[in-house]
């Protein structure tokens, strides 16, 4: 029996992506809530995992099905209703006050910022993924000597109407990269090498450490000027060296950004939530979320949220869904956060560690107040 | 109050070892449930730890003692009954449907596959520890140039009647080893070096990285041909650099095996269960268990099992005891698994995250269905 | 409903620091329970975190305030009563039987061993921080050739009336340092280099790996002779590379100390409590605590204590507050330990994993018996 009321205030989702506007068949739907490049082993299903359970439990009723309808029934009903109707239902039911949307991943198959805003009927802002910008720069034609300048120009331009920048350095070089700014001549040389590789392979993918560092520091500079937070992917992902994505490996860069007064928002953090939480205690500029982790841990999401509260400062915890492709993932991120946070705080209350008033302050801080403050959305 | 019935279905123990058939005195018994090379500090006892508690709690009654009989009483009664009777009682009470037995460790003091099958009155199959095979090859006489071929021949021969192969690369070079196959000339050179060392020291122990890699890839090749899973020791052990046994450090090899369609079963995984669980999401071929960990965490084993369910796909979790030497460890591995899994799923049920039907599917998958599928034991 | 009585026995605090004897204003008080070098972000407060909650909850009543008085009220009342009265109240209420005090940090602003003993009205002993001794040696004038000898002499002298030594190698070189003893000529060379740096910078801070190793092994030698435990800072801190402070990275040195029969007490350990616990199983000489972590996790401190019981031997777990500066932190360390340990054991009891008698044995072991044994305080 809970002593706290349900958490029904609007949430500011500070890190998310667009949804797919088109219909998805059974196979496509499953692939959209998997982090694997391959389908599950023959004879098994993506529904048979924690995230599959909570889709069936919480999403089925919004499509007029019984809770725990089968995966097959679920996808059939989803097709019957059509993606547009489904997406509208989930996005509206999520209870968001605003969405901050990373537009740098698979942007050709998912909705953009304006479309997401319309779908969810709330304001939305763009978060610019800096590695995608660097890749755009070389795609649009530049020589080695001109790369750094063009990158800077493009980042400035792309961030004009944005609200924050984001780096996925963890994916590209891992956090075990030299975290200082490279010298100009190093950047020219690395850009030359990269351009040659692109010419040879036909593929554009930023993975060179020097280019990564140049991109990171160019972005940091803009964050400093614009008072933008820098979002930093941390921990779990679809193709990462997990051990090298512990955010405590990124301490040197974090410290440098502290000197520059740039807020660093560490995203996801699993399975390094304890490390991330502790960094909020040490560094003035560190913020954390557990986006995507709530969804992938489903029935265990309450434990995840409890862990994020373990040592982190309450003024440093943010809410995000990190939803992508499926509007279900937005809705679930919201629902599981509300259930899990309430349960965690209710335990504290019953153990005598908390008052109702403190519970409210913590909930409001995480739900929107911390994000409004650091993303300059107050007043 | 539990809403789920007790889990009383037979378990397929996919990774275990033989038991000691002879009587053990107080000191020997304690040493058999310790991972230390040394006795506990003077004035202390192995019984005074989580595993000691659950031996006294759950095993004492099977020897006709009260629960929580003292360690001294326990060992005295064990000697009174005799090892044969004791082993029979525990192995029969464990409720196994089949045992997959690693025969490559201390094989001269413990029972073999046939004897274990007879003792437990269920079928048993052999899992071949590949490092032990490589050591046998050099023991039986081979020159540097002939090593690779002899290793391959011996592995083929040893795996003829086996069901899987197993590597303890974590113990020997840790996962921080180059994970590619070595070149032929590198293997010849490394074998020459190793043979010289053996001649000088009189000791045969595979620890050279090149020999380890050659052994691993020779084994992988057989697994590919025979559709064998490759079991991989991961995490805690008696003499490991724990930080270097995080299974996410073995990602490159895992990915290569995914291309070859070889299932990788990550064993134990403590304290990296979250990492291991996440790998089941990313890689089609990854499976996990928490063998031995249930026993060593005793009263906390429920938390361990809950953690294994946190992000892992239910079709990728396996049951094992990783019991060794003491038949008590078989029995406890089974009992603690049954209690812990029931409790974890019961919490999900009461929180509204699960149906009884889903609970049954998860239990059956972990208890035997996943193992039957990947070890080709269906039908 | 708890089945175990409250834990009201005296506690031997095996690792702690002195308190500040002077009054602290609102800003100073907050800074004293923060591990950051900077104040919290504008508009936020140190009280708005787990440790802030438990100060308001448990400490306010001892200053005659209501539980959960605001931070402002709390500090005002604290000033009203005066530091001396406040410190006496908390130190007496903590229920300690003895304090082991690290004197090597900020020793000019906090009370010394004798003063702390008087304040708490219990015996106190000194623990000598070896890095501070090495820094004292060079401050008091020594040449490169004489450094090693002078260090040894000073360590012997400083440890004469002490009870143990302590190293903060994790802070200075991290555990990713060569863990063998350096050669004499290496030490001379490194000392020369260090002295030159000091001359140039005017600052004395031990951070050279060779000097660190020399200091560590000189200390180890004394521990061996005197049968002293060596306390080892491990895990979280105010300025650490967290990922490099996993105690399992210090395995080589731990193993060497096992050969010398020197107990190693791993302090704090967060977020590596599982790793530390497992090391108690493997190595005869390893002991752990979760000092400071109880305080910084506040409402979650019960989980921390449960984790310390997960795989560690009960005869290897120690109690400490690691309190520093604020007498509140002593009191809280004690209170949270008592609540958390009782709750953890009560769960085991209710799950049928424990008897009352075993609970008592575990409590007494952790509360004082293990510490008395290894610090030679018996009889």
């Amino acid at each position: 029996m809970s002593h706290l009321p349900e958490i029904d205030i609007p949430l500011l989702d500070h890190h998310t992506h667009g949804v797919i506007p088109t219909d998805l068949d059974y196979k496509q739907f499953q692939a959209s809530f998997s982090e694997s490049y391959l389908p599950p082993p023959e004879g098994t299903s993506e529904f048979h995992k924690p995230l599959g359970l909570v889709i069936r439990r919480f999403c089925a009723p919004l499509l007029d099905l019984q809770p725990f309808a089968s995966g097959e029934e679920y996808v059939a009903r989803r097709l019957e209703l059509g993606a547009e109707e489904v997406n509208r239902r989930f996005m509206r039911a999520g209870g968001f006050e605003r969405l901050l949307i990373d537009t740098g991943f698979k942007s050709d198959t998912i909705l953009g910022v304006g479309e997401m805003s319309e779908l969810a009927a709330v304001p939305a802002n763009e978060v610019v993924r800096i590695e995608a910008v660097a890749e755009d720069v070389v795609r649009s034609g530049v020589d080695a000597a001109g790369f750094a300048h063009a990158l800077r120009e493009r980042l400035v331009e792309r961030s004009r109407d944005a609200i924050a920048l984001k780096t996925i350095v963890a994916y590209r070089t891992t956090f075990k990269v030299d975290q200082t700014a490279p010298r100009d001549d190093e950047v020219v040389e690395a850009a030359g090498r990269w351009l040659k590789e692109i010419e040879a392979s036909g593929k554009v993918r930023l993975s060179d450490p020097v280019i990564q560092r140049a991109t990171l520091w160019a972005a940091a500079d803009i964050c400093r000027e614009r008072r933008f937070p820098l979002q930093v992917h941390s921990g779990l992902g679809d193709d990462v060296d997990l051990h090298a994505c512990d955010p405590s490996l990124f301490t040197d860069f974090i410290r440098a950004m502290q000197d520059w007064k740039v807020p660093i928002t560490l995203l996801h953090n699993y399975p390094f939530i304890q490390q991330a939480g502790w960094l909020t205690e040490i560094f003035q500029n560190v913020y954390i979320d557990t986006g995507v982790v709530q969804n992938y841990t489903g029935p265990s999401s309450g434990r995840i949220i409890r862990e994020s509260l373990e040592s982190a400062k309450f003024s440093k915890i943010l809410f995000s869904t990190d939803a992508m492709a499926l509007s279900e993932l937005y809705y679930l991120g919201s629902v599981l956060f509300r259930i899990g946070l309430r349960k965690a705080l209710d335990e504290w209350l019953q153990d005598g560690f908390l008052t109702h008033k403190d519970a409210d302050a913590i909930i409001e801080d995480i739900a929107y107040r911390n994000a409004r403050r650091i993303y300059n959305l107050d007043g």
Side-chain angles (χ1 to χ4, degrees), chain A:
Chain A
M1 197 189 52
S2 185
H3 291 74
L4 281 177
E6 287 190 22
I7 298 177
D8 55 9
I9 55 175
L11 307 177
L12 197 166
D13 189 346
H14 90 107
H15 174 250
T16 187
H17 305 264
V19 304
I20 298 176
T22 51
D23 285 337
L24 301 166
D25 65 22
Y26 189 56
K27 199 173 148 187
Q28 290 166 329
F29 185 77
Q30 284 188 63
S32 300
F33 68 96
S34 165
E35 293 272 326
S36 182
Y37 292 157
L38 294 176
E42 221 182 293
T44 73
S45 154
E46 293 293 343
F47 280 101
H48 200 45
K49 69 181 183 187
L51 175 50
L53 269 183
V54 289
I55 289 176
R56 289 171 48 225
R57 164 63 184 86
F58 293 102
C59 298
L62 261 82
L63 303 193
D64 318 311
L65 299 168
Q66 290 296 314
F68 295 110
S70 74
E72 288 84 350
E73 287 173 289
Y74 185 86
V75 177
R77 175 63 182 160
R78 201 183 196 273
L79 285 166
E80 196 174 75
L81 286 168
E84 202 180 327
E85 170 65 14
V86 166
N87 289 340
R88 188 177 304 108
R89 289 190 187 186
F90 286 119
M91 292 309 300
R92 303 273 164 110
F96 302 106
E97 76 161 42
R98 181 182 292 269
L99 311 175
L100 309 190
I101 300 180
D102 166 9
T103 52
F105 185 53
K106 296 193 178 173
S107 49
D108 46 342
T109 59
I110 57 177
L111 296 182
V113 174
E115 294 159 313
M116 287 301 296
S117 171
E118 209 170 310
L119 185 63
V122 296
N125 300 85
E126 185 175 11
V127 176
V128 175
R129 186 187 286 222
I130 62 173
E131 287 78 10
V133 173
E135 290 165 353
D136 279 350
V137 165
V138 300
R139 266 194 212 98
S140 58
V142 73
D143 63 11
F147 172 74
H149 181 73
L151 172 65
R152 160 85 194 172
E153 292 294 295
R154 189 72 63 95
L155 280 169
V156 167
E157 181 199 320
R158 286 297 315 284
S159 59
R160 194 153 293 145
D161 301 317
I163 198 162
L165 304 185
K166 174 186 173 183
T167 177
I168 53 163
V169 54
Y171 269 111
R172 298 304 175 86
T173 61
T174 81
F175 289 144
K176 292 189 168 178
V177 69
D178 177 346
Q179 288 161 36
T180 60
R183 293 193 319 270
D184 290 351
D185 62 309
E186 289 175 308
V187 178
V188 173
E189 195 198 318
R193 213 164 44 225
W194 191 23
L195 291 168
K196 262 183 212 153
E197 280 167 26
I198 292 167
E199 209 179 313
S201 71
K203 279 186 208 154
V204 176
R205 184 181 160 86
L206 191 171
S207 63
D208 178 272
V210 175
I211 301 291
Q212 176 67 69
R213 290 160 58 208
T215 306
L216 195 58
W217 282 88
D221 209 41
I222 292 168
C223 287
R224 177 165 61 163
E225 287 169 26
R226 299 284 308 273
R227 297 180 51 231
F228 276 7
L230 180 62
Q231 300 186 345
V232 178
H233 176 103
S234 163
L236 92 192
D238 59 4
D239 184 25
V240 294
D241 280 330
L242 196 51
H243 59 93
C245 298
D246 172 347
S248 77
L249 288 162
F250 209 44
T251 302
D252 290 341
F253 184 76
I254 288 170
R255 190 181 289 115
M257 291 304 99
Q258 180 176 258
D259 293 341
W260 283 14
K261 300 196 185 308
V262 173
I264 296 292
T265 64
L266 299 171
L267 310 172
H268 329 305
N269 296 305
Y270 188 80
F272 308 106
I273 297 172
Q274 295 179 20
Q275 281 86 337
W278 185 248
L279 293 175
T280 73
E281 169 66 22
I282 300 304
F283 294 107
Q284 197 185 44
N285 62 328
V286 172
Y287 297 79
I288 62 168
D289 77 27
T290 52
V292 103
V293 190
Q294 290 105 285
N295 284 349
Y296 272 93
T297 55
S300 301
S301 52
R303 197 204 67 71
I304 300 299
I305 290 171
R306 224 178 291 130
E307 188 167 328
S308 75
L309 294 164
E310 193 162 283
S311 73
K313 290 181 174 175
F314 306 137
S315 49
K316 303 288 204 79
I317 306 174
L318 304 170
F319 165 75
S320 89
T321 60
D322 190 25
M324 168 96 199
L326 302 184
S327 51
E328 280 88 344
L329 302 178
Y330 268 92
Y331 178 68
L332 280 175
S334 169
V335 166
L336 295 172
F337 169 79
R338 292 167 191 273
I339 294 174
L341 182 59
R342 180 196 191 196
K343 199 171 177 190
L345 295 181
D346 200 64
E347 282 174 21
W348 290 12
L349 195 77
Q350 294 191 40
D351 288 347
F353 284 114
L354 196 72
T355 65
H356 276 86
K357 194 179 154 190
D358 288 303
D360 286 343
I362 293 171
I363 291 166
E364 285 167 28
D365 265 17
I366 305 178
Y368 57 80
R369 202 183 289 137
N370 295 334
R372 283 191 200 161
R373 188 179 67 244
I374 66 169
Y375 290 100
N376 310 303
L377 289 164
D378 275 321

